């Protein structure tokens, strides 16, 4: 088993960059839901958020939420099982002047002008309008309770595939070949399983780790298995003007090229974080079920298409 | 620090104080270390500058505080989220003027042959950065190396004589008394490549435009950049059209195959799809020079999660008693 696997650094970005992104996600999970409405206060009081340039979009946001609430109420009345409201927070961007690579004569705005107005898109995009691209699942994180206290020193001594440095981290790091995954096993009996490419693979892997622990002499059970996070990725295959996207979707986006090359888009519905890169590659994370990944991508795709250049 | 307008600064100062008071008292920050609170000041300053359209980079503030820009950046993002504020991003062309003033290249500081007025230098560098942004060199990249590359090329092109063209970026930075940023070298290469593509479209230039001779054409390229861009894009379109017509005649089936590759899962057994970045005139460099993606492991399909787990498989992960003894011994010896 390779000790001290190091995360690959890409290009010039140090490991701290990825830690930075990881911290964002963790915070996203722990802080209360971000308010999507900037209170309309007069500019200049010092405590105001940036006045929304486009009041239309705010009105539309409020309208959208109202529609959403109505729909949810209707669904509840219809006696449907507790499905999360399917209405996406979605705005179909129209083509923006100046966002193409063909520079217009005269003063070329460096970034696209903000779009006015923004039209909401109806939920449940019909198949003919769907992107035709399916995000690939890249990583599943799950947890399970083995239901008994564990002696990590014994596990590290007797298992071939275990790593244990109590001074560095208070858990045994165990790896199996098939499904290719890594587990963190804690003395409390709780375990985290990472690296699987599907929910079923994650469950199978977790069961194998539990079996190893059993064979080492512990009365391990398999309680409360739960998928905690799913990561997917895909490629829209066209370049994206991140500067334009952050301008028009400021409430959801964070783009700081000094810190990280991608734009961080925090979608409200479903509650997914997307990393959008200039290359057109998109990473989606924060899902508990794979449908959320697919839904988030179908929501973002029309927005990204709006920033696609047309030759 | 370059501060031409004190009036604006007092407004920024006031706003910074307001935000700092709010952030400092917030439960997320009240108990953080003193050092972190210093970083917080920088974050509030950055926020105020952005809200009041005062262009300043995170790097500048970090260097003033002698802080790690990444650490400050993370704190800034956290603070903005906690205070629930939307601050616009900084436009690189706005920061350019302040940045170019760091370069001590005016006639007061540099020999006449190598000196350049800030006004001319900034004007040209801004045009170059705008053109770079249009051609996908800027998005997703750190701004300072881009600005450095733009200033260097602008400086060379304003008087493209032997002296300037021979001076490397390193020597230029020494002359201008700025710290060299290594990524700037790559940005220079990318900008030159882009300029060559446009330079080739200049009707009165007979010789081939290469990265070695493109600098002397930069003035013309920037002057006629809109027209040259249109010409270059049109030429690319025509070339693609001709290629498509030729391939259509040869292989009628190929188009269907391409469509299938876009839908659903990528077929790993087939040859990788041609890089779309190579089929357009300008594309983000990370697409054109795509790194070889990791070879995918053979997918475990149809896994239910409830499969039988064989004893032999699990035993393979467990040490034999002999191995355990040897391992325990080696641990003891290492202590």
């Amino acid at each position: 088993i390779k000790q001290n696997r190091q995360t690959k650094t890409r290009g010039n970005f140090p490991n701290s960059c990825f830690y930075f992104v990881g911290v964002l996600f963790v915070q996203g999970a722990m802080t209360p839901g971000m308010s999507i409405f900037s209170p309309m206060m007069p500019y200049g009081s010092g405590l105001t958020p940036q006045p929304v340039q486009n009041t239309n979009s705010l009105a539309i946001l409020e309208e959208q939420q109202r529609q959403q609430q109505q729909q949810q109420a209707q669904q509840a009345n219809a006696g449907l099982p507790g499905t999360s409201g399917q209405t996406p927070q979605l705005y179909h961007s129209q083509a923006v002047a100046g966002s193409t690579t063909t520079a217009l004569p005269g003063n070329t705005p460096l970034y696209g002008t903000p779009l006015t107005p923004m039209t909401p898109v109806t939920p449940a995009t019909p198949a003919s309008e769907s992107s035709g691209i399916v995000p690939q699942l890249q990583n599943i994180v799950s947890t399970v309770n083995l239901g008994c206290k564990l002696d990590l020193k014994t596990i590290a001594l007797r298992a071939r595939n275990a790593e244990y440095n109590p001074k560095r981290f208070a858990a045994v790091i165990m790896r199996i070949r098939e499904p290719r995954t890594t587990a963190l096993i804690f003395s409390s009996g709780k375990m985290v399983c990472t690296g699987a490419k599907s929910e079923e693979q994650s469950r199978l892997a977790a069961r194998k780790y539990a079996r190893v622990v059993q064979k080492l002499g512990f009365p391990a059970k398999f309680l409360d298995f739960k998928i905690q996070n799913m990561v997917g990725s895909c490629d829209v295959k066209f370049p994206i003007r991140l500067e334009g996207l952050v301008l028009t979707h400021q409430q959801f986006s964070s783009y700081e090229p000094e810190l990280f090359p991608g734009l961080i888009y925090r979608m409200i519905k479903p509650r997914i974080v997307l990393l959008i890169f200039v290359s057109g590659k998109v990473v989606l994370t924060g899902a508990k079920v794979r449908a959320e990944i697919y839904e988030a991508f179908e929501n973002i795709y029309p927005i990204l298409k709006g920033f696609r250049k047309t030759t | 620090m370059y501060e031409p307008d004190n009036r604006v600064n007092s407004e920024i100062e006031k706003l910074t104080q307001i935000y700092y008071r709010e952030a400092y008292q917030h439960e997320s920050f009240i108990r953080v270390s003193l050092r972190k609170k210093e970083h917080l000041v920088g974050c509030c300053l950055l926020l105020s500058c952005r809200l009041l359209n005062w262009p300043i980079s995170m790097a500048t503030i970090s260097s003033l505080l002698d802080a790690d820009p990444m650490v400050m950046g993370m704190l800034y993002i956290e603070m903005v989220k906690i205070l629930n504020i939307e601050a616009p991003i900084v436009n690189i062309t706005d920061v350019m003027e302040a940045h170019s003033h760091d370069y001590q290249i005016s006639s007061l500081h540099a020999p006449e042959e190598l000196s350049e007025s800030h006004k001319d230098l900034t004007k040209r560098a801004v045009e170059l950065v705008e053109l770079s942004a249009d051609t996908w060199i800027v998005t997703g990249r750190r701004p300072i190396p881009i600005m450095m590359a733009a200033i260097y090329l602008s400086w060379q092109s304003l008087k493209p004589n032997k002296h300037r063209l021979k001076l490397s970026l390193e020597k230029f930075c020494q002359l201008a008394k700025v710290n060299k940023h290594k990524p700037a070298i790559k940005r220079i290469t990318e900008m030159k490549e882009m300029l060559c593509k446009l330079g080739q479209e200049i009707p009165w230039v007979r010789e081939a435009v290469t990265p070695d001779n493109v600098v002397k054409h930069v003035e013309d390229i920037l002057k006629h950049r809109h027209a040259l861009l249109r010409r270059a894009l049109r030429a690319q379109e025509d070339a693609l059209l001709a290629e498509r017509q030729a391939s259509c005649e040869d292989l009628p089936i190929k188009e269907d195959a391409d469509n299938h590759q876009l839908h659903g899962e990528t077929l790993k057994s087939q040859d990788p799809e041609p890089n779309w970045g190579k089929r357009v005139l300008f594309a983000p460099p990370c697409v054109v020079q795509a790194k070889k993606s990791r070879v995918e492991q053979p997918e475990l399909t149809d896994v239910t999660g409830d499969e039988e787990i064989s004893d032999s498989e699990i035993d393979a992960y467990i040490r034999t008693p002999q191995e355990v003894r040897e391992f325990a011994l080696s641990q003891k010896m290492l202590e």
Side-chain angles (χ1 to χ4, degrees), chain A:
Chain A
I1 303 291
K2 246 193 201 175
Q3 301 275 345
N4 303 323
R5 269 189 206 175
Q6 295 219 310
T7 44
K8 280 206 179 95
T9 51
R10 311 244 163 125
N12 295 323
F13 295 97
N15 280 335
S16 58
C17 210
F18 293 95
Y19 170 68
F20 151 75
V21 176
V23 165
L24 285 181
F25 297 152
V26 168
Q27 286 179 339
M30 288 178 3
T31 49
M34 182 181 89
S35 161
I36 56 169
F37 299 119
S38 316
M40 291 298 284
M41 283 164 76
Y43 177 65
S45 71
L47 293 173
T48 11
Q50 167 74 4
V52 179
Q53 288 165 312
N54 180 4
T55 53
N56 280 342
S57 64
L58 196 56
I60 288 163
L61 266 173
E62 293 183 77
E63 174 63 39
Q64 185 81 338
Q65 216 207 19
R66 229 176 315 126
Q67 278 178 13
Q68 221 171 287
Q69 284 167 351
Q70 274 177 7
Q71 273 194 335
Q72 282 179 342
Q74 279 172 10
Q75 278 186 345
N77 289 339
L80 287 169
T83 44
S84 60
Q86 293 299 310
T87 318
Q89 286 289 341
L90 176 58
Y91 297 92
H92 193 87
S93 318
Q94 288 147 6
V96 181
S99 71
T100 60
T101 58
T102 328
L104 300 173
N107 276 338
T108 314
L110 192 60
Y111 310 119
T113 50
L115 304 176
T116 52
M118 308 240 251
T119 48
V121 172
T122 49
T125 37
S128 57
E129 274 179 43
S130 79
S131 65
I133 304 170
V134 181
Q136 293 266 56
L137 292 180
Q138 300 293 351
N139 184 27
I140 313 283
V141 178
S142 60
T143 54
V144 71
N145 185 1
L146 301 179
C148 63
K149 292 275 175 275
L150 302 173
D151 180 5
L152 300 185
K153 274 180 110 164
T154 306
I155 294 175
L157 177 68
R158 298 187 44 213
R160 282 183 182 150
N161 54 341
E163 208 182 297
Y164 182 47
N165 277 327
K167 286 183 189 151
R168 219 173 67 189
F169 191 54
V172 162
I173 301 166
M174 196 179 280
R175 296 186 170 91
I176 58 171
R177 285 176 285 271
E178 196 71 45
R180 194 165 162 272
T181 51
T182 305
L184 303 176
I185 304 173
F186 295 84
S187 56
S188 61
K190 299 262 175 80
M191 184 174 83
V192 180
C193 176
T194 67
K197 300 278 189 201
S198 78
E199 307 89 317
E200 298 81 19
Q201 282 184 35
S202 193
R203 192 158 173 277
L204 178 61
R207 283 175 57 222
K208 289 189 182 181
Y209 288 112
R211 279 287 288 277
V212 171
V213 171
Q214 264 178 1
K215 282 238 169 185
L216 293 172
F218 298 92
K221 303 193 237 345
F222 198 77
L223 310 170
D224 306 323
F225 174 80
K226 187 178 178 209
I227 304 283
Q228 299 291 357
N229 187 30
M230 301 176 74
V231 184
S233 72
C234 55
D235 188 352
V236 301
K237 296 200 195 300
F238 53 80
I240 300 165
R241 289 254 168 245
L242 303 178
E243 310 91 341
L245 183 56
V246 74
L247 214 66
T248 56
H249 290 75
Q250 207 171 30
Q251 311 98 313
F252 311 109
S253 314
S254 168
Y255 170 54
E256 299 287 346
E258 287 189 80
L259 302 175
F260 188 65
L263 183 148
I264 300 164
Y265 191 104
R266 294 182 186 272
M267 195 174 280
I268 308 285
K269 218 159 175 51
R271 198 166 198 79
I272 298 286
V273 175
L274 298 92
L275 299 184
I276 303 166
F277 297 90
V278 65
S279 58
K281 294 206 161 74
V282 181
V283 174
L284 308 99
T285 185
K288 289 275 195 283
V289 295
R290 66 164 72 195
E292 287 175 348
I293 301 248
Y294 298 151
E295 190 188 336
F297 180 69
E298 289 304 317
N299 288 354
I300 203 77
Y301 188 69
I303 295 173
L304 298 181
K305 269 211 299 190
F307 287 92
R308 178 183 194 167
K309 83 169 185 92
T310 45
T311 348

Side-chain angles (χ1 to χ4, degrees), chain B residues 310-323:
Chain B
S310 70
D311 269 345
S312 56
E313 186 187 346
I314 302 300
D315 285 336
Y317 292 116
I318 298 179
R319 290 193 169 120
T320 63
Q322 167 86 345
E323 283 175 6

Side-chain angles (χ1 to χ4, degrees), chain B residues 279-311:
Chain B
R279 283 184 274 124
V280 293
L281 183 62
F282 296 117
C286 61
V287 176
V288 179
Q289 294 142 24
K291 295 193 179 113
K292 207 174 177 184
S293 56
R294 195 199 317 187
V295 175
E296 289 292 331
Q297 301 283 327
E299 284 278 313
L300 273 176
T301 51
D302 300 329
V303 170
T304 64
D306 294 312
E307 281 86 348
E308 274 285 318
I309 301 169
S310 70
D311 269 345

Side-chain angles (χ1 to χ4, degrees), chain B residues 56 67 158 181 196 205 243 252 264 271:
Chain B
I56 191 166
L158 280 163
H181 287 266
C196 285
V205 169
E243 194 192 305
D271 287 334

Side-chain angles (χ1 to χ4, degrees), chain B residues 22-40:
Chain B
E22 193 186 337
Y24 187 97
Q25 289 165 16
H26 195 277
E27 57 176 347
S28 310
F29 298 121
I30 188 75
R31 274 179 233 96
V32 302
S33 68
L34 205 63
R35 184 79 179 122
K36 202 166 181 184
K37 287 193 173 117
E38 285 172 16
H39 287 53
L40 203 59

